[in-house]
Amino acid sequence: MSLTRRSFSACALALSLMVSTAPTALAQDKVTLRLSTPASETDQRSVSLAEVFGPAVTDFAVYEPHYNASLIAQGAELESIATGDLEMSIASAQELATFFPEFSIFTAGYVHQSAEHQVAVFNDAVMDPFKQKVEDELGVKLLAVMYLGKRHVNLRFPRSEKDVKTPEDLAGVNLRMPGSDAWQFLGRALGANPTPMAFTEVYTALQTGSVDGQDNPLPTVVDAKFYEVTKQIALTQHLVDLNYIAFSKAVWDELSADQQAILQKAATDAAEAARQAQLKKEEDLVSFLKEQGLDIYEPDLAAFRTTVQQEYLNSELAAAWPEGALDRINELGN
Ligand code: KDO
């Protein structure tokens, strides 16, 4: 069949219509991954998710972070993922322990010994039943472990007024702890009177004196500017704290195997980038905080470790820990 001018223009028109509709017809719609976190945009975990995770999944997903608990209140993120109102969060073991009491093993003071210990535990078979239960019963996949840092006691009093050597010195101190029960237990185990409070309210509470202190790692004390309204940090390192990158199982199941592999690697890489950044900050920030006028010192660590560990071992929390799990976690830390 010869190609006449008329048939040529008809073909050209049909082709132009196909091309003009191709982008919507052929391109797969990208899934939007809303993340809600109480952390600020400049927190290392937020930075690494935005700089490493987001770009790595951009072929099939749009990463949409919401900081300072602006989308979902701190502690409500996992429920929101379960109901399909959120796709990702930076979850804590304490929040998971409100659903699954056995997670309190990862919230116990002086159990995790380092960032690398956290990674060894997360990747060990001991973690498998914990991960499986969260997937099966909450519809949440724990993709990676993030290093939040070593938590210390940070008080608004100068050391001349309150010198923290042992847990006895925290008697009567109104110490803000995050809301979950596991956090309140830790506050009591330290010897203090814990007050439940959302992270975003802590600065004002310290400034007005409605709490006497709070506990967070040095990078958080700097990022949230708690050093502006506090006078001392007793380096209790009572919890080598962690978060998990929590991800919607329903969204995960909609992805192809290749997309799942890309997303998993993106989460692992983002967690590693944040870990290294957080560890570096922990080294650098003691001198910065001293320059800001804070008194930073080491308390009687043996007294704190012995007291806190005893509180946990005698507690109902420990009764929920799977047989042999603590021994395995300790083995991985040595
Ligand atoms: C906090 O509220 O003190 C805490 O450190 C608890 C962590 O689990 C995590 O939620 C963290 O806040 C936020 O990511 C803000 O850093």
Side-chain angles (χ1 to χ4, degrees), residues 31-173:
V31 61
T32 299
L33 303 179
R34 294 166 296 177
L35 170 110
S36 183
T37 172
S40 72
E41 184 166 3
T42 52
D43 179 285
Q44 289 313 309
R45 293 159 295 154
S46 304
V47 169
S48 76
L49 281 168
E51 293 184 355
V52 177
F53 178 84
V57 299
T58 189
D59 283 352
F60 57 89
V62 176
Y63 175 63
E64 183 187 291
H66 297 264
Y67 304 112
N68 305 308
S70 55
L71 181 64
I72 305 283
Q74 180 182 30
E77 300 94 339
L78 288 168
E79 184 101 32
S80 299
I81 294 177
T83 57
D85 299 311
L86 188 67
E87 288 70 47
M88 294 179 69
S89 80
I90 302 176
S92 69
Q94 292 81 359
E95 289 154 358
L96 285 159
T98 62
F99 296 93
F100 311 108
E102 61 269 37
F103 264 88
S104 64
I105 196 169
F106 304 118
T107 75
Y110 298 107
V111 169
H112 277 115
Q113 294 159 34
S114 66
E116 60 187 331
H117 185 198
Q118 291 175 348
V119 175
V121 170
F122 185 77
N123 294 331
D124 186 79
V126 72
M127 197 71 201
D128 293 347
F130 289 91
K131 292 173 180 174
Q132 196 59 54
K133 198 163 187 185
V134 178
E135 279 190 37
D136 296 346
E137 298 186 23
L138 207 51
V140 172
K141 261 186 93 65
L142 303 181
L143 294 179
V145 62
M146 297 193 108
Y147 177 64
L148 179 52
K150 298 182 184 68
R151 296 181 83 97
H152 306 295
V153 170
N154 173 212
L155 302 181
R156 57 191 298 273
F157 311 121
R159 196 176 173 190
S160 50
E161 267 182 54
K162 170 62 72 177
D163 190 14
V164 177
K165 292 191 185 62
T166 66
E168 287 68 33
D169 295 323
L170 287 176
V173 169

